[in-house]
Structure formats: C-alpha cells, structure tokens
Amino acid sequence: MTATLDQTPDPTRIAPARSHLAEDRTATRRRWTGFAVVLAAMIMNLLDSTVLNVAAPSIKRDLHASTSAIEWVAAAYTLAIAVGLLTGGRLGDRYGRKRMLMIGLAGFVASSTACAFAWSPSSLIAARVVQGLAAALLTPQTFGLIRDLFPPDQIGKAFAAFGPVIGLSTVAGPVVAGLLIKADPFGTDWRSLFLINLPVGVFALVVGARVLPTGGGARRVRLDVVGTLLMAAVSFLLVFPLVDGRAQGWPAWIFAVLAAAVPMLGLFVVQQRRRLRAGATPLIELSVLAKRSYVSGVVFTLVFFGSIVGLGLTLGLFMQIGLGFSPMKAALFTAALAVGAFFGSGVGAWAATAVGRPILHVGLTIMAAGTTTLLVSVHAAGAQPGPAALLPGLAVYGFGMGMIFVPLFSIITAEIEDHEVGSASGLLEALQQLGASLGVAVLATLFFIRFALEDGGRPAAVAAGRHLAAIEATLTVTLVLLAVAFALGWLLPRRARTAF
C-alpha cells in the first residue's frame, strides 16, 4: 500500500514567514521615508544658499535696501554656517543626530518665516543669521543619519540616490526661485522663496520625529564654546570691512578692523594649544595645520569657493539690475551654469581616484576658458548681450566647476592621518562657507563700485555703460582668483584619499 504525501502547507511555518516579510517591507519603507526627510533638510539648505542670486534685486527694491545690505543678506547666511559648522557635528555626537536635526529643522522653519515677514534689511539680515546657524546644525547630521538608517548592504544604494537628487536640486534651484517670483503667489514676490520652506520643513519635522533612528549621543564630548566665539570674531573681522568699507568711504578704522583679524586669529591658536595641553578636545586639530599640502588646500578652498559664490551673485545682479532681465529670465540663464556643473560633477566623480590632482587643473582651465568667453562676448555684444553672449560661457564655466566639486576635499585630505580626518574635513566645510562670504564681500563690492548706482541711479549707470564695466571688472578679478587657485593646486597631494 503506497503512502500519500500530505501537500497541505503547514500554517505554523507560513505565518512566521509572512510576518518576517511584512516586517522587512515596513523596515524598508521606514528607511526610505527617513531618507526623504534627510533629503528635504539638505534641499532646503541648498535652495536658500543660492536664492539671493535670483532674489537680490527684488529684495533691494521692496525693502529699499542699500547695496551693502544686499551683500550682508547673502554673506550673513554663509558666515553663520561657517561658524556653526565647527560645532554642529559635535553637538550631534553629544546629544544625538536625530535630536540635533529636529532642532535645526525647527530653527530653519522659524527663521525662514522671519525672513518671509522681514520688514527691513536689518530684520532680514538677522533672520538670515539664525537661518544659517540652523543650517549648520542640521547639515552635519545628514550623512551620519543615512548610515544609521541603512544596513551596510544597502547604504550604497542610498548614497547612489543622494548624489543625483542633490545635483538636480542645485540645477533646479534658480529656476524654482525664478518661477516663484514670477508666479507671485498671494502677492508675496521674493518672500515666497522663504515661505516654500514651511511645508517642506513641517513635513520633515513631523515625519522625521516618527521614522528617524534615535541615538543618545556620547555625553563625554566636550564643546569648545570659547574657541567657537573666537573663530566667529575672526570671520566677522574679515568680512565686515569688505562689505561695509565702500558705504563708509573706506576710513582708516575700517582697515584697522580688518587688521585686527590677525591678532584675533593668533589668540585663537593660543587658546587651542592651551585646551590641548589641558587634555580637552580642541575645536581644530592644530597638527593638520603643520602639513603644507593641507594648508595649501585651505587657501585653495577659500579662493575657489570665494570666486564661484561671489561671481554667482554678481551675475544675477548684472542680469537683473544691469540688463533689466526679469527674475525668471535671469534664473534660466543662471541654470546654464548649474546644468554644466551637474555634468561636470560626473566627470569629477570618476576622476577623483583615476586622475587625482590633475583634474583640478583641468577644471580650473575650463573655468578660465568659460570666464574668458563671457568677458569677450559681453564686451563684443555691447549694451545688451543676449543668449549667444552669455549661455556658452556660463555652461563651460559650470562644467569646469563641477569637475572640481567632487574630488576636491578627498585630494586636500589625502595626507591627513586617520585620527585627524574629522577635524580636517569639518574645517574645510567651514572655510568653504567663509570663502563664500569673502567672495560675496569682494566681488559684489567691486561690482557695485564700478556700477556706481548712487551716481544718477540705474538709468544713468546703464546709459553710461557702467553695468558692462562692472561685470567686466568682476570677470577679470575672477580670472585672477582662478590663476591663484591654479598655482595653489600644485601644492596639493597628487592622489585623492580613498576612504574616510
């Protein structure tokens, strides 16, 4: 007699399998939802770091702001980020990344609201400082949270998605800004650029509170409040004279303020050495400043980011105040630069390890070619340069710029010891923002000096061709800064760091 096999599924085995499958799906959904929260935080910061390139003329007109006030609206944000980044990461280590991201998001939403309802240039500048500090608090937590969200076998997929999304946000940023100003929802004009942060920020706060992993942090991390305040003073002493000097008529005390940055920096170094001898963690590992390649990279970072951020703002001012472009038209022209940077970053990502330092020189050469194309085209086109005069140079400049973005920090830190990497990378990120503030101060000030709006207003300035003289002077100085960066590039390590 042949036995018949029972084909009936065993419910005691199927139920746990289905339960595990449901748990895996829930965990996956939770991870990617948390990833969306992190992206929302990064995108808000990216948009607000470039919004002034499109909105500056509208803000100037609406708030009756001086040219130096417009420079401060841009510089205050990046200066606050530069100072805040020095401690933002350590606050996450001490109190937990999720908690600091939530506090940063809340501060960003609140300060964005204050920016949108600003009634004067001073109130807008103050709100931008708070916004920058909030951005400095949330930005350092993002990469750590992505690592906390995903297991090792999935983290590669997360970072693979992270890069393109951030790149596309950079490209879309100026266009979105132009569209919002053109749409003028409820008569908000430029204020809509800050109000758009409210729904995005509230989404990130509500959803992030539910899905982001909670970590208690390491309470043993000690913060260097005195060092942070000293660095804030050094940064302010450098930027303030460059922004306000022209409006003040360049009196002797302005140069005294600028010179005071040197002894203040010396005081910071002394304080850091005392802290190290006392066994406390310094704000900056001073040992990294003993490496010539790293110090050269620090100066390279200041010059490079100063040139690109300063030029970005002055191009927006030139197109709207000088050429009379609408915010939307100016945004579309500016997008050519961002599109070029998006494609250039793909080349830079490959070249970081395959080529190393030479990619920086190639990128700088392409940027110089784009700048020269702009300079020659604008000069040849006369009073009203059109798309043929502006778009090719902008796209070429952006392509070269993008080639440098990805490999730069890995090349600068190639000779840094493993225990110094955290401090060295944090300092570079802070100096990137300080360089942006200095670039705005120097190039925008030069632009307004040559434009001379105070002498008869815009019609007289344009009729006299001073808008062309202003942008040509700015482009010429940009070429000088690129040449300085090119020379500094030879002092950097030849190969990029392969791991952090």
Side-chain angles (χ1 to χ4, degrees):
M1 186 174 180
T2 306
T4 303
L5 291 174
D6 186 3
Q7 301 295 325
T8 305
D10 185 352
T12 62
R13 295 184 180 181
I14 292 177
R18 287 177 176 171
S19 176
H20 286 311
L21 183 60
E23 289 176 3
D24 288 343
R25 288 175 177 172
T26 301
T28 299
R29 190 182 305 115
R30 189 181 184 90
R31 290 188 193 108
W32 287 102
T33 304
F35 181 71
V37 171
V38 172
L39 281 179
M42 288 295 291
I43 288 170
M44 285 195 301
N45 174 42
L46 281 171
L47 291 178
D48 280 73
S49 63
T50 58
V51 68
L52 261 293
N53 294 355
V54 176
S58 299
I59 293 172
K60 186 179 188 304
R61 181 184 61 253
D62 185 40
L63 297 181
H64 306 289
S66 65
T67 53
S68 60
I70 289 299
E71 292 179 50
W72 270 119
V73 173
Y77 183 75
T78 52
L79 193 60
I81 294 179
V83 174
L85 279 174
L86 294 172
T87 55
R90 292 185 180 181
L91 285 169
D93 293 337
R94 180 169 182 173
Y95 297 109
R97 296 187 185 99
K98 177 182 178 178
R99 180 182 298 177
M100 289 300 101
L101 183 76
M102 293 292 102
I103 293 173
L105 280 169
F108 203 90
V109 169
S111 56
S112 295
T113 305
C115 287
F117 289 96
W119 62 91
S120 66
S122 297
S123 62
L124 180 57
I125 292 167
R128 288 283 281 175
V129 171
V130 178
Q131 194 181 40
L133 291 173
L137 191 58
L138 64 87
T139 301
Q141 320 310 330
T142 54
F143 288 104
L145 280 170
I146 291 174
R147 291 189 177 93
D148 293 342
L149 280 165
F150 292 92
D153 62 326
Q154 295 183 23
I155 197 168
K157 294 180 181 178
F159 280 113
F162 185 83
V165 171
I166 295 301
L168 287 172
S169 300
T170 305
V171 173
V175 178
V176 171
L179 283 170
L180 282 172
I181 294 177
K182 183 178 181 180
D184 192 20
F186 306 106
T188 53
D189 193 31
W190 60 268
R191 300 173 190 272
S192 61
L193 303 182
F194 296 105
L195 289 171
I196 195 66
N197 289 331
L198 272 62
V200 178
V202 170
F203 157 79
L205 278 168
V206 173
V207 177
R210 295 175 54 192
V211 302
L212 290 177
T214 302
R219 296 281 172 178
R220 63 181 179 276
V221 177
R222 295 176 60 185
L223 303 177
D224 185 2
V225 177
V226 174
T228 302
L229 293 175
L230 287 173
M231 277 305 295
V234 171
S235 302
F236 182 79
L237 290 172
L238 284 172
V239 175
F240 173 79
L242 297 173
V243 172
D244 270 36
R246 182 179 63 87
Q248 300 291 338
W250 301 107
W253 65 265
I254 281 285
F255 295 99
V257 170
L258 186 62
V262 177
M264 187 64 69
L265 181 60
L267 186 61
F268 170 76
V269 172
V270 170
Q271 184 265 347
Q272 291 293 286
R273 286 176 175 169
R274 287 181 177 176
R275 188 174 175 84
L276 191 61
R277 286 198 298 268
T281 303
L283 194 65
I284 297 171
E285 291 283 353
L286 294 178
S287 57
V288 301
L289 301 179
K291 296 177 171 63
R292 189 194 70 174
S293 61
Y294 181 78
V295 173
S296 301
V298 163
V299 182
F300 185 102
T301 299
L302 289 170
V303 173
F304 176 71
F305 284 100
S307 67
I308 61 176
V309 176
L311 181 61
L313 177 61
T314 53
L315 283 170
L317 293 168
F318 167 68
M319 284 187 273
Q320 292 187 65
I321 299 178
L323 300 181
F325 286 5
S326 68
M328 185 67 233
K329 186 175 181 180
L332 290 173
F333 274 73
T334 306
L337 189 151
V339 170
F342 178 73
F343 287 105
S345 63
V347 178
W350 162 79
T353 53
V355 178
R357 185 182 69 192
I359 194 62
L360 302 183
H361 287 117
V362 173
L364 287 167
T365 302
I366 294 174
M367 288 175 70
T371 306
T372 303
T373 301
L374 269 174
L375 182 59
V376 173
S377 299
V378 166
H379 183 78
Q384 285 294 323
L390 298 175
L391 291 178
L394 288 171
V396 172
Y397 179 91
F399 187 80
M401 180 178 70
M403 291 174 68
I404 297 174
F405 274 160
V406 177
L408 180 58
F409 281 13
S410 60
I411 291 173
I412 292 175
T413 58
E415 296 177 0
I416 296 296
E417 302 295 332
D418 288 345
H419 71 278
E420 299 171 330
V421 169
S423 177
S425 299
L427 180 58
L428 284 176
E429 290 173 359
L431 290 175
Q432 172 185 336
Q433 301 299 329
L434 177 58
S437 298
L438 291 170
V440 166
V442 172
L443 293 182
T445 296
L446 172 64
F447 178 84
F448 283 125
I449 287 174
R450 298 302 301 269
F451 203 173
L453 283 171
E454 297 83 357
D455 187 9
R458 179 186 176 274
V462 172
R466 294 202 297 267
H467 63 308
L468 298 177
I471 196 62
E472 288 173 11
T474 304
L475 290 169
T476 301
V477 173
T478 300
L479 281 172
V480 173
L481 293 174
L482 293 175
V484 172
F486 191 93
L488 288 167
W490 295 110
L491 302 177
L492 302 184
R494 185 166 182 81
R495 289 292 174 187
R497 190 181 191 89
T498 54
F500 283 89

